[in-house]
Amino acid sequence: MSSAADTGKRTAELAEMDLFASVPEKNYLDLQDADGSYNAKKVAEFLHLNRREVARAVSVPLTSVRFDKPMTPELNRRMTEIGVICEQVAGYFKGDAQRTSLWFSLPNTLLGSISPIEMIKLGRYKKLYHFVQNALAGNNP
């Protein structure tokens, strides 16, 4: 039988794990620049997204989709969020870019039989993020 102290310690450990679960452990897919920021162009290339698909995915006008330094803060923030999802999935596959790419491209019954990349293209990347977080934490949908 576990004591209340053991239970409290375990709860604290789980809370600490959850607190940092949103940050990928490594730059498995080389989606980050030297300063640690996510490179939106690399994220789009990894997912094989064209400018029109990026615009739709992150709900910005097509004219706002550019991957150089004058990128809008909104586009940068959203592409960073998508990059984090990619890195978290890559972490699960121990950095295997091919398996990660395959996971994004195959329909998933737990996502309504659509692929994760389709979820991103439809602008549902936040739902995908929560799905990935729960899956990595061992929670079933």
Side-chain angles (χ1 to χ4, degrees), residues 57 114 118-129:
I114 66 170
E118 287 302 316
M119 286 193 73
I120 291 170
K121 288 178 182 180
L122 293 170
R124 307 290 312 266
Y125 63 92
K126 289 184 181 182
K127 182 175 181 174
L128 180 63
Y129 172 79

Side-chain angles (χ1 to χ4, degrees), residues 26-128:
K26 293 183 181 178
N27 184 16
Y28 295 106
L29 303 172
D30 193 33
L31 300 179
Q32 295 176 349
D33 289 332
D35 64 358
S37 64
Y38 279 83
N39 184 310
K41 184 175 183 177
K42 288 181 180 180
V43 173
E45 287 173 351
F46 175 75
L47 295 171
H48 308 289
L49 297 173
N50 60 40
R51 287 181 62 241
R52 186 174 308 284
E53 291 167 332
V54 169
R56 183 172 183 209
V58 300
S59 301
V60 298
L62 181 59
T63 56
S64 295
V65 178
R66 51 187 301 168
F67 299 121
D68 51 1
K69 289 298 177 192
M71 180 187 328
T72 65
E74 182 179 3
L75 176 62
N76 187 37
R77 185 173 36 259
R78 291 185 178 173
M79 291 303 287
T80 295
E81 291 169 350
I82 293 169
V84 166
I85 297 168
C86 295
E87 290 291 0
Q88 288 176 324
V89 173
Y92 177 80
F93 290 117
K94 298 176 179 42
D96 187 326
Q98 279 188 301
R99 289 179 71 195
T100 302
S101 181
L102 184 62
W103 184 85
F104 275 96
S105 66
L106 293 175
N108 188 316
T109 56
L110 297 175
L111 297 172
S113 295
I114 66 170
S115 67
I117 189 61
E118 287 302 316
M119 286 193 73
I120 291 170
K121 288 178 182 180
L122 293 170
R124 307 290 312 266
Y125 63 92
K126 289 184 181 182
K127 182 175 181 174
L128 180 63

